[in-house]
C-alpha cells in the first residue's frame, strides 16, 4: 500500500481539514468485499462513503465484515443519508450515522424523485441548516442550480456537491454551461457527485476548476473495478494539474505551432 504523500502541496480542504486525494469513492455495488478493498487501496481516496439505509442490500455490503473492512482500509468514512425522502428522516439517519461511525461528517442526500434520484431542492436547504446547527460537517448532494448552491452556502455549508447527471447514468456532464457558470460564480469548495461514467468526464470537470469528484457506479460496475479506480484517480490528478497550468484559449482559425520565417531550413544547407 502506497502511503499518502506528505506534505501535500495541493490538498483538498473540507471544513478546514486537508486531504491528499481529490477523489472520493462509494462502497456499494462492488462484486465482492475483496474487490472493494483492492479498489480503495489502489485509488487511495480522501473518503469512502457508506449508507446506513442501503447497507445489506448486496452481499458485498452486508454483515459486520463490511464495517470491519472500512476500518481496516484506514480511509475516513463519509456516512450518507441515501434513500431519505424527508428532512426528519435525513436528520435522524445522520444522527445514527454519527453515533455508529463516531464522525461529524455526513453526505446529505434528500431525494425528491425516485426515478431520477434528483435531490429535493425545495427541502434540501432546510435539512442542511438543521444538520449544521447540530454540529455536522455537511456535504450536500445537489443539482447544478446556482441559486440552490448559494442557499446551501448561506446556511453554512463549506462545500457543495452538484451532480453532473442523474445517479448511476454515467452520462457525464449533462449541462456543461450551468456547471461551468456555477464554478465561476461560487467561491466555495465544490465536488462533482453523480453521473460521471468515464475518467475523461472526471478530468473534464476538474479542468473546469471543480475541487474533486465522488464516484461509485462508474468504478463498482466496471469490468475491472480496481483498474478503473486507478484510472479515475489519475484522471482527477491530471484534470487538477491542467486547471492549475491554465489551458490555452480556443481559436477560431488554425494557428501554426512553428513560426514560418524565410525559406525552409534545408535550403540553407545547399547555399
Amino acid at each position: 500500500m502506497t502511503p499518502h504523500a506528505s506534505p501535500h502541496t495541493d490538498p483538498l480542504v473540507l471544513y478546514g481539514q486537508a486531504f491528499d486525494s481529490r477523489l472520493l469513492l462509494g462502497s456499494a455495488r462492488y462484486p465482492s468485499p475483496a474487490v472493494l478493498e483492492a479498489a480503495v487501496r489502489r485509488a487511495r481516496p480522501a473518503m469512502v462513503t457508506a449508507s446506513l439505509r442501503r447497507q445489506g442490500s448486496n452481499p458485498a455490503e452486508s454483515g459486520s465484515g463490511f464495517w470491519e473492512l472500512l476500518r481496516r482500509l484506514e480511509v475516513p468514512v463519509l456516512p450518507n443519508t441515501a434513500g431519505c425522502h424527508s428532512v426528519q428522516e435525513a436528520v435522524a439517519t445522520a444522527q445514527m450515522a454519527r453515533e455508529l461511525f463516531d464522525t461529524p461528517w455526513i453526505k446529505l442526500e434528500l431525494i425528491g424523485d425516485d426515478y431520477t434520484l434528483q435531490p429535493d431542492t425545495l427541502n434540501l436547504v432546510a435539512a442542511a441548516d438543521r444538520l449544521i446547527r447540530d454540529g455536522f460537517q455537511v456535504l450536500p448532494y445537489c443539482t447544478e442550480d446556482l441559486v440552490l448552491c448559494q442557499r446551501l452556502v448561506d446556511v453554512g455549508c463549506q462545500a457543495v456537491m452538484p451532480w453532473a447527471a442523474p445517479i448511476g447514468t454515467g452520462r457525464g456532464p449533462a449541462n456543461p454551461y450551468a456547471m461551468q457558470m456555477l464554478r465561476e460564480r461560487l467561491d466555495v469548495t465544490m465536488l462533482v457527485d453523480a453521473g460521471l461514467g468515464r475518467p475523461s468526464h472526471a478530468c473534464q470537470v476538474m479542468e473546469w476548476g471543480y475541487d474533486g469528484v465522488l464516484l461509485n457506479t462508474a468504478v463498482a460496475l466496471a469490468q475491472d473495478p480496481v483498474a478503473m479506480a486507478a484510472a479515475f484517480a489519475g484522471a482527477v490528478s491530471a484534470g487538477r494539474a491542467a486547471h492549475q497550468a491554465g489551458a490555452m484559449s480556443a481559436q477560431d482559425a488554425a494557428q501554426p505551432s512553428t513560426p514560418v520565417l524565410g525559406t525552409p531550413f534545408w535550403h540553407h544547407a545547399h547555399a
Side-chain angles (χ1 to χ4, degrees):
M1 179 173 62
T2 303
H4 288 210
S6 181
H8 201 284
T9 58
D10 183 36
L12 169 66
V13 179
L14 298 170
Y15 288 90
Q17 183 171 337
F19 298 89
D20 289 344
S21 175
R22 293 178 176 272
L23 172 66
L24 285 70
L25 279 182
S27 58
R29 307 186 72 181
Y30 286 82
S32 70
V35 173
L36 166 60
E37 180 174 2
V40 172
R41 293 194 185 281
R42 180 72 67 88
R44 300 307 301 166
M47 292 183 178
V48 173
T49 65
S51 170
L52 269 68
R53 295 177 60 83
R54 290 179 180 168
Q55 190 270 330
S57 63
N58 183 301
E61 306 161 43
S62 60
S64 60
F66 175 72
W67 308 115
E68 290 300 324
L69 169 61
L70 293 181
R71 294 186 183 96
R72 187 167 67 248
L73 289 170
E74 298 182 344
V75 175
V77 175
L78 175 63
N80 67 43
T81 60
C84 292
H85 290 78
S86 71
V87 172
Q88 185 55 46
E89 193 177 20
V91 170
T93 301
Q95 291 170 339
M96 288 188 290
R98 180 165 57 183
E99 292 184 12
L100 177 62
F101 293 105
D102 189 27
T103 178
W105 293 98
I106 193 72
K107 175 188 171 183
L108 173 60
E109 292 187 34
L110 187 62
I111 301 304
D113 178 68
D114 285 327
Y115 179 73
T116 62
L117 299 181
Q118 179 173 320
D120 182 347
T121 56
L122 298 180
N123 293 300
L124 187 62
V125 175
D129 185 33
R130 285 185 56 178
L131 290 172
I132 288 171
R133 292 175 185 275
D134 195 20
F136 284 93
Q137 293 171 340
V138 181
L139 299 178
Y141 160 61
C142 54
T143 66
E144 76 279 17
D145 183 270
L146 172 63
V147 176
L148 170 62
C149 291
Q150 182 63 67
R151 295 294 181 269
L152 289 167
V153 174
D154 291 344
V155 298
C157 292
Q158 295 183 25
V160 294
M161 302 202 300
W163 69 355
I167 292 175
T169 61
R171 299 179 63 86
N175 193 342
Y177 171 77
M179 292 189 69
Q180 291 178 74
M181 182 177 65
L182 176 63
R183 177 66 280 182
E184 292 170 3
R185 291 286 301 277
L186 292 189
D187 185 19
V188 66
T189 300
M190 285 191 281
L191 297 86
V192 176
D193 178 14
L196 302 179
R198 299 175 181 273
S200 57
H201 297 155
C203 189
Q204 182 179 40
V205 298
M206 294 299 294
E207 288 175 353
W208 291 343
Y210 279 86
D211 299 284
V213 301
L214 195 160
L215 305 161
N216 192 158
T217 309
V219 173
L221 297 189
Q223 293 183 23
D224 186 341
V226 179
M228 188 62 76
F232 268 107
V236 169
S237 295
R240 176 65 177 178
H243 172 69
Q244 291 182 307
M248 62 168 283
S249 299
Q251 305 294 319
D252 292 330
Q255 304 288 330
S257 58
T258 302
V260 178
L261 298 174
T263 58
F265 71 88
W266 57 84
H267 285 196
H268 296 285
H270 299 287

